[in-house]
Amino acid sequence: MHSLNLQYNPRIDQLRWLAATLVFLFHFQLEYRGLGGPALTSPWGALVTEGHTGVGLFFTLSGFLFMQIAIVQAGANRQIVYADFLRNRVLRILPLYLTIFLVATSIGRDNFQPQDLLYLFATNLGHAPTSGTPVTGAAWTISLEFLFYLVFPFLARFALERGKRYLLQLLALMAFFKLAAYTVNDNSTLMYFCTFVGRFDQFLIGMLAAMLYQQQQQRLQRHAPWLLLLAAALIVWETASMHRLAPFGATPRSAFWIFWSMAESAGWAAVILAWVAFQPRLPQTVERLMCHGGQVSFSFYLLHMGLLHLLAQRVGLLHPTGNGWVDAAIMIALSYGATWALATLSYNSIEEPFLRMRRRYGAEKTAAPATLTR
């Protein structure tokens, strides 16, 4: 997706595509197993069975991308205008998000209460209408994303003034909140999975990665190929460890999850740094498809659960070959293609018209007024 405030980098869209695909595979295997399909039990397949880690990639990538914008603006002696920044974020998020929220309240009309409208700002908490059905269940992340938007211009300003140490200090505070919250929450895994305490550090780690990239760009580009292999291996190992020690949904309270988001985000930050620095290009068709997947990733993410659930309910298991794994691959290909087409339709009709209304949100820094000395 092209930004008015930063030169387009196809690597960012390709990472968005990866994040959306991982979350898709996670929910596909849940629906597939629910229909009686064979389960993927090996911990080395945890990038699928724990594919919710794609959310961690999304959050870390947001911190990275916006901090890159702040760094570029600062280098041009410009600063982020808060009102214009939020205007762009609202135009980016609200049209499709509000559509999903209205679908959720329509589905739950019989139990709707006027105060449920407040869940528009807190879909990750309580009994939000969007969490009542798999059709709209993916929307829980949007409240956290927008919370980050609300404070990012301030965080970026302070980080640019004080350096990486400022973000490290905030991460230390987040670690304290995580430890303290664990002692009083009996369902702490879900808390760490979908709340401020469990997720906000991932945005901060993304910002930290952007500052590191700005300082070490040439070195990262020289070593990007092997760094990418190491980063990918780290992510595979981390998700395998989670699947073995404290899989999501099976462990309501586990000390493993206290610092999981930090470890997960650090792994994805390494992937982001290596992939953004990776200079060799993939075949043109592959790059174009991945970039399109990144462009429509927001629609893909918010709509995929509804489509998967619809296919599970109305089509069910397919047995074209009689081989469970081959049949699963065919079902993945068909449902992925259908989701891709639906996301493209949603992007073109809901997202893109509003995206055209965005504008630059950087402005020249004003000189500080002179002070009189006596």
Side-chain angles (χ1 to χ4, degrees):
M1 178 176 297
H2 292 262
S3 169
L4 299 175
N5 301 280
L6 184 70
Q7 183 178 353
Y8 177 68
N9 185 343
R11 297 299 192 212
I12 299 297
D13 266 342
Q14 291 159 12
L15 288 166
R16 288 193 181 108
W17 163 82
L18 174 62
T21 298
L22 288 174
V23 178
F24 170 89
L25 291 173
F26 170 64
H27 289 123
F28 174 88
Q29 61 91 26
L30 290 179
E31 292 284 1
Y32 186 67
R33 289 170 56 189
L35 292 171
L40 185 62
T41 57
S42 170
W44 301 111
L47 272 178
V48 174
T49 56
E50 305 292 348
H52 53 79
T53 188
V55 173
L57 174 53
F58 269 130
F59 288 164
T60 308
L61 188 60
S62 287
F64 180 86
L65 175 61
F66 286 110
M67 192 64 201
Q68 274 200 317
I69 292 174
I71 290 170
V72 168
Q73 295 293 327
N77 197 37
R78 298 172 68 85
Q79 60 187 356
I80 293 175
V81 178
Y82 187 74
D84 290 339
F85 175 79
L86 284 188
R87 179 183 183 276
N88 277 18
R89 296 301 89 214
V90 167
L91 289 170
R92 173 73 181 98
I93 293 292
L94 189 61
L96 182 57
Y97 174 47
L98 184 58
T99 301
I100 296 299
F101 190 85
L102 291 174
V103 170
T105 55
S106 299
I107 293 171
R109 66 167 299 279
D110 293 340
N111 299 313
F112 179 79
Q113 299 292 326
Q115 58 267 30
D116 287 345
L117 291 175
L118 295 175
Y119 278 120
L120 186 64
F121 307 100
T123 49
N124 62 318
L125 303 175
H127 301 285
T130 49
S131 297
T133 165
V135 175
T136 56
W140 69 267
T141 61
I142 307 305
S143 297
L144 288 171
E145 184 84 19
F146 204 80
L147 172 63
F148 172 65
Y149 297 158
L150 289 174
V151 299
F152 168 74
F154 303 103
L155 296 177
R157 176 175 178 171
F158 303 150
L160 290 170
E161 290 175 352
R162 305 184 184 187
K164 293 191 293 293
R165 180 180 297 181
Y166 173 72
L167 295 175
L168 292 172
Q169 290 171 342
L170 292 179
L171 286 171
L173 283 172
M174 290 301 303
F176 163 73
F177 295 144
K178 288 172 180 290
L179 284 167
Y182 183 75
T183 65
V184 294
N185 191 306
D186 293 330
N187 193 21
S188 58
T189 296
L190 189 59
M191 175 191 67
Y192 292 129
F193 183 79
C194 65
T195 69
F196 166 81
V197 167
R199 290 290 189 175
F200 198 76
D201 52 346
Q202 298 190 319
F203 297 106
L204 300 176
I205 290 172
M207 292 175 64
L208 196 60
M211 297 182 75
L212 179 63
Y213 184 81
Q214 188 264 341
Q215 294 175 348
Q216 303 292 333
Q217 181 175 351
Q218 292 185 349
R219 183 175 297 178
L220 287 167
Q221 288 175 344
R222 285 199 304 270
H223 302 295
W226 66 265
L227 285 175
L228 185 60
L229 290 174
L230 288 177
L234 176 60
I235 285 294
V236 171
W237 177 80
E238 284 184 341
T239 52
S241 298
M242 187 229 288
H243 183 77
R244 182 170 55 88
L245 298 173
F248 178 69
T251 50
R253 190 171 189 271
S254 170
F256 178 91
W257 277 80
I258 297 175
F259 296 114
W260 164 250
S261 63
M262 289 186 172
E264 176 186 53
S265 187
W268 283 123
V271 171
I272 292 168
L273 288 170
W275 187 244
V276 171
F278 188 71
Q279 294 181 304
R281 293 297 178 184
L282 302 177
Q284 185 176 3
T285 301
V286 174
E287 291 236 348
R288 187 166 60 249
L289 285 172
M290 290 173 67
C291 288
H292 179 75
Q295 182 182 53
V296 303
S297 60
F298 186 45
S299 284
F300 191 100
Y301 171 76
L302 283 181
L303 299 177
H304 79 279
M305 285 182 67
L307 183 57
L308 286 174
H309 189 68
L310 177 63
L311 292 174
Q313 294 297 309
R314 292 292 177 254
V315 179
L317 286 178
L318 299 178
H319 305 281
T321 69
N323 182 302
W325 294 112
V326 175
D327 292 343
I330 293 173
M331 291 177 65
I332 288 173
L334 292 175
S335 56
Y336 191 89
T339 307
W340 186 284
L342 182 64
T344 301
L345 174 64
S346 171
Y347 175 82
N348 289 333
S349 57
I350 298 178
E351 292 187 68
E352 195 267 345
F354 288 92
L355 291 174
R356 288 179 176 271
M357 298 171 62
R358 293 176 301 169
R359 60 191 181 205
R360 297 182 186 276
Y361 49 71
E364 294 290 337
K365 290 183 179 179
T366 55
T371 56
L372 296 177
T373 58
R374 296 181 183 271

